Amino acid sequence: MSADATTFAPLVLSDRINAMQESQTIAMAKKARALAAEGVDVISLSFGEPDFQTPQYIKDAAKQALDEGYIFYTPVPGYPELRQAICDKLQRDNQLSYKPENIVVSTGAKQALANAVLALINPGDEVLVLAPYWVSYEEMVKLAEGTTVQLMGSLENDFKVTAEELEAAITPRTKLIMYSSPCNPTGSVFSREELAAFAEVVARHPQVYVLADEIYEYINFTGEHASLAQFEAVKDRVITVNGFSKGYAMTGWRIGYLAARKEIAAACEKLQSQITSATCSITQRAALAALQGGRSSADEMVEAYRRRRDLVLELVKDIPGFRTPTPSGAFYIFPDVSGYFGKTTPTGETISSAADLALYMLNDAHVAAVDGGAFGAPNCMRFSTAAADEKLREAFIRIKNSLAKLQ
């Protein structure tokens, strides 16, 4: 070693980062992109992203915001007029009465969820996560040093947990319940009656808060969206998270929000002030225009999603070994694929899990999907239906042909 050589101690990363897993949806998307970069025609059904353009009036509002000089820092929880517009939306669509002081606008609904978890959870607190669940819930709880308790809904009940199951799972250590409706990954939707039963359970446990992820609210095929915060007995213990990525096709704009009692909103604002401060000023003005423009564009997209759901359900009928409930919302199907476990590929590998099956389909059928283990359901796989009809037809023809090769 030369005299001027420098030596460094081995890099030791924090325990919290070593304990976290990479988002499996993002990991599969990376693999799909790498294969596509080699010239392979990959159909990616792994990402939860609308394939529609953001409506033009929202884009125009962003351009106007630039021209009008909305280029400076904003208040941490968002522009007052945007928070008021969110209050108006919550009253109109959800019959929820909030003031701007109850609203915190964040860089995506994901940040709003993380803000709430970090603001509420102490080391050792139990968080009941209704499973199957979105991949990041458990990792957020890890970051807060809480303990995740998965509560799995049965396939026979469209993967929905019942009020009786919820009651039985709550312990004196339970601090928070997390769920999404419409659900990512299953597309299941809790009815008003089901949430009323949840509210009765939560009301009996005053130490328990609920984080309700409603980001897929507008992509709902049941005709009604119910919010747990509508039930007065538990409203002050419900944090409702929503955003613009799905209903307004604004994924890259990165804007979401939460609505909560004043003390919780203030805690989330305090946390956000030290992490990112406010989200992008231009995005906020675009979001304001989105809310002021109503939901007609969202309703048009929903009809396309409904058609695609029905198309895919018809296609998977021809795939033996897929047990697929009918989704009531969102843009996914979530079949149980365990009938393929133990089978052998043409090159001699054994399919032992949904992860193995997902990798096999990527390499053989060139279709990317996400194994259900990432969502707490290791017997299942998630396929996004947010793709053009012809892509969906081609993808499931490839999948059927590829699975037929397994012995």
Side-chain angles (χ1 to χ4, degrees):
M1 182 180 293
S2 63
D4 60 348
T6 302
T7 59
F8 296 95
L11 174 63
V12 179
L13 296 173
S14 69
D15 291 341
R16 73 178 60 85
I17 201 67
N18 286 329
M20 293 180 73
Q21 301 294 317
E22 180 183 22
S23 166
Q24 290 304 298
T25 55
I26 293 174
M28 181 54 79
K30 283 183 182 177
K31 291 177 182 177
R33 283 195 292 267
L35 205 57
E38 297 173 6
V40 177
D41 176 22
V42 176
I43 300 175
S44 182
L45 304 181
S46 62
F47 240 8
E49 183 167 39
D51 63 328
F52 295 100
Q53 283 288 314
T54 303
Q56 188 60 46
Y57 77 94
I58 299 175
K59 295 180 184 179
D60 291 342
K63 297 172 186 176
Q64 183 178 348
L66 280 169
D67 291 340
E68 293 179 354
Y70 286 98
I71 57 170
F72 300 101
Y73 290 139
T74 81
V76 170
Y79 284 122
E81 56 269 42
L82 174 57
R83 284 181 282 147
Q84 181 59 58
I86 291 169
C87 292
D88 296 342
K89 178 265 176 220
L90 291 169
Q91 182 67 63
R92 180 191 71 229
D93 293 348
N94 312 100
Q95 299 78 56
L96 297 176
S97 179
Y98 287 107
K99 297 178 180 178
E101 65 188 15
N102 301 112
I103 308 300
V104 179
V105 177
S106 301
T107 306
K110 181 182 282 191
Q111 185 181 28
L113 290 163
N115 282 347
V117 172
L118 290 167
L120 285 171
I121 298 305
N122 283 315
D125 284 343
E126 286 184 356
V127 180
L128 274 179
V129 178
L130 306 196
Y133 53 81
W134 183 48
V135 294
S136 293
Y137 291 173
E138 186 171 10
E139 302 310 314
M140 291 174 182
V141 175
K142 284 181 186 177
L143 186 61
E145 300 180 70
T147 300
T148 298
V149 178
Q150 295 182 19
L151 185 55
M152 177 65 69
S154 68
L155 183 146
E156 292 72 21
N157 194 39
D158 292 336
F159 295 109
K160 292 190 287 186
V161 169
T162 67
E164 293 76 17
E165 291 167 335
L166 183 65
E167 178 77 73
I170 293 174
T171 76
R173 295 181 299 279
T174 305
K175 179 71 176 291
L176 183 66
I177 298 166
M178 297 180 70
Y179 75 93
S180 61
S181 180
C183 177
N184 176 3
T186 68
S188 299
V189 175
F190 284 112
S191 69
R192 182 176 302 276
E193 292 73 23
E194 288 166 328
L195 290 181
F198 278 10
E200 291 180 7
V201 172
V202 173
R204 289 194 288 270
H205 299 275
Q207 86 281 8
V208 174
Y209 293 79
V210 182
L211 187 49
D213 181 352
E214 300 188 0
I215 189 66
Y216 288 91
E217 175 191 356
Y218 285 172
I219 307 173
N220 185 332
F221 312 129
T222 69
E224 179 187 37
H225 174 82
S227 297
L228 187 62
Q230 290 171 335
F231 299 94
E232 196 61 35
V234 297
K235 178 184 175 181
D236 279 352
R237 288 188 280 129
V238 177
I239 303 98
T240 301
V241 170
N242 210 324
F244 299 81
S245 58
K246 315 304 182 185
Y248 290 98
M250 293 177 68
T251 53
W253 298 74
R254 306 309 303 138
I255 186 163
Y257 59 88
L258 62 78
R261 64 192 279 184
K262 182 172 66 174
E263 296 85 354
I264 294 174
C268 292
E269 177 184 347
K270 179 180 179 182
L271 174 65
Q272 185 166 296
S273 73
Q274 298 292 1
I275 305 297
T276 60
S277 292
T279 196
C280 170
S281 57
I282 307 303
T283 294
Q284 289 189 54
R285 301 304 297 182
L288 176 61
L291 292 174
Q292 292 173 336
R295 53 178 292 177
S296 60
S297 60
D299 291 339
E300 291 173 10
M301 287 188 281
V302 168
E303 287 310 306
Y305 289 133
R306 186 196 302 272
R307 186 189 70 250
R308 293 169 178 181
R309 177 201 64 174
D310 294 344
L311 168 65
V312 168
L313 289 175
E314 193 63 32
L315 292 168
V316 298
K317 284 181 182 178
D318 293 332
I319 302 178
F322 272 30
R323 297 173 61 209
T324 311
T326 297
S328 297
F331 41 66
Y332 308 103
I333 63 165
F334 198 64
D336 182 309
V337 296
S338 58
Y340 290 95
F341 297 175
K343 292 185 178 291
T344 304
T345 70
T347 53
E349 293 91 1
T350 299
I351 300 295
S352 300
S353 65
D356 290 344
L357 191 63
L359 192 59
Y360 167 71
M361 289 197 310
L362 178 62
N363 291 324
D364 188 81
H366 303 146
V367 176
V370 187
D371 79 89
F375 306 95
N379 288 343
C380 299
M381 291 184 68
R382 191 191 78 171
F383 298 86
S384 170
T385 59
D389 294 31
E390 59 271 20
K391 287 285 187 183
L392 293 171
R393 286 194 187 90
E394 174 64 20
F396 285 97
I397 289 170
R398 291 186 191 181
I399 290 167
K400 178 183 177 181
N401 293 338
S402 182
L403 293 177
K405 300 176 187 177
L406 298 175
Q407 301 294 320

